[in-house]
Amino acid sequence: MKILIDTYGADQGEKVLVDGAIACQKKKDFTPVFIGDKEKIEELIAGRIDKYEIIHTTNFISNDDDPARSIRRKKDASIVLAYEKAKEEGYDGILSAGSTGALLAGGLFIAKRINGIDRACLATSLPTIEGTTLLMDTGANMDCKAQYLEEFGLMGKVYLENVLGIDNPKVALLNVGVEEHKGNKLSKESYALLKEANLNFVGNIEARDLLTGKANVILADGFDGNIAIKTAEGILKLVAGQLKEVFYKSLSNKLAAGILKNDIKDMFGKYSADEVGGAPLLGVKSYVFKAHGNANEVAICNALLGLMDYIDKKVIDKIEGELI
Amino acid sequence: MKILIDTYGADQGEKVLVDGAIACQKKKDFTPVFIGDKEKIEELIAGRIDKYEIIHTTNFISNDDDPARSIRRKKDASIVLAYEKAKEEGYDGILSAGSTGALLAGGLFIAKRINGIDRACLATSLPTIEGTTLLMDTGANMDCKAQYLEEFGLMGKVYLENVLGIDNPKVALLNVGVEEHKGNKLSKESYALLKEANLNFVGNIEARDLLTGKANVILADGFDGNIAIKTAEGILKLVAGQLKEVFYKSLSNKLAAGILKNDIKDMFGKYSADEVGGAPLLGVKSYVFKAHGNANEVAICNALLGLMDYIDKKVIDKIEGELI
């Protein structure tokens, strides 16, 4: 399997992508195809692995660029090269930690949408108390229509059934209350549509149940999904920081914290974004995973494993099958 | 000072409102005016306080009722009686833990909006690492226009300057990224308007900074603000629960946790919704505070103190002054 790795866009630079791919190759056999500055990448690899390819470019699309315009004009930008290459036989998928807008625009203009899907979306796996919940969309579509949310639901169902083996997953709508009449225009319209859809729709879910595992898929507008996921991230970081202060407050606290340290670290580890590492861009005809901009080596490795699982399970074919 | 207390609508029933008011009277001199079932309320007071009034009714508006319709038709519903009474000389404000929709509808149809304000909003004080941040709106308006958000910003500014003594508060817009071009239709339009407004507008803020104190006011659509606040609430509860599991995991953990217990309790207490207890409904001509449906006695007491402070500082007059 050959995975195209966009080496631009991570906050920590190319190193984290190269190191993540090298770590991943120890866990699963695949060929990383690094797209970026050849000399720099060779230097970072430093002979640690033999099986890899490099597609040289020093151009890329940043968060400040207009995504649609750049995808069309910057023909040698790393993400454009990745999407073009992914259309060739023998290249299986793309990993990028760069601009979400560019990734989405590339998906729409180069890979193209799956027939019957109006919008692609980012499906982020949330670590919950029990199992996994897929939050979709988490940032690809800023102004959604009810119909998009229904399509997200169908794609989420296929993804969970195939990649995670969850049978007839429970699909819920993120809303401000559980009652059917609650919410804004979009959520009321979506509720009406989802009720009639070929889905195991369990109704509205409140944001306080984001990580309690009550639903397998939580549907949201990309704006709202992003607010939810970033709020969760912020609070986890805040609590971890505040706990650290408590632990260092006095000598007796330090000693007590020493005993609890590993268990608490494990606990927070369970809710760390690094565990999953990335999210599939569902709805386009290429296998694409988006890693966080601030991903570390562990996150990149886990994202690559997730991407390869997504490819192995032929999820795009199955989504197409579901829509016929 | 006389405060009208709607005794219907709290998850825990009338008791929590009566007990909260009694606890509060020990901290500040005021007359609670309980609206609800006279016999039941007398029984709950059980002679513990002498200074109080009761307005008898057994009718109320629940979360399942249509708010606007019910406000107009249920003339003897507790919240309708509260709003009517608040227009009389000598009654200073309203506290309710009931339906947000009914509280808002009552504000619009009975108390009426402040001239120049298109929508009333709930301004929730968030406990941050440094000081307080006001998140507005947290659930009164489901589909906002940019202009409403600008008005929320002006009201937030007056509230913070007067009630909390924060000079020229920093106002930010909740968004999916910090760059000006980020977000949905509403956030782009709001950004353009806020840039030109008579406010100390500091730009976009991401949800991960909800509690880091980077801004004094965070503006959001009522839907998004509600998603953010409930996500935060859910994660805090989840982490507290998971920590408890760690603490009970083994005998050595139990002993270590015993040492840290009080400091950790204090830490979580700082971020508890009970600390503030309620949020003002800004934009209407009555002084109104909304307490959480699941409020406890401490939260009700704190909400009453917050309401009385809001009244003492004559914030409504000052908002009217700002808009002339």
Side-chain angles (χ1 to χ4, degrees), chain A residues 36-67:
Chain A
D37 185 335
K38 189 171 191 311
E39 201 177 326
K40 202 163 187 180
I41 293 165
E42 290 283 16
E43 207 175 284
L44 286 168
I45 295 173
R48 285 182 291 167
I49 53 171
D50 298 319
K51 198 164 80 171
Y52 65 90
E53 294 176 16
I54 296 177
I55 297 174
H56 176 73
T57 188
T58 53
N59 202 349
F60 59 94
I61 300 175
S62 80
N63 269 320
D64 297 323
D65 293 318
D66 178 78

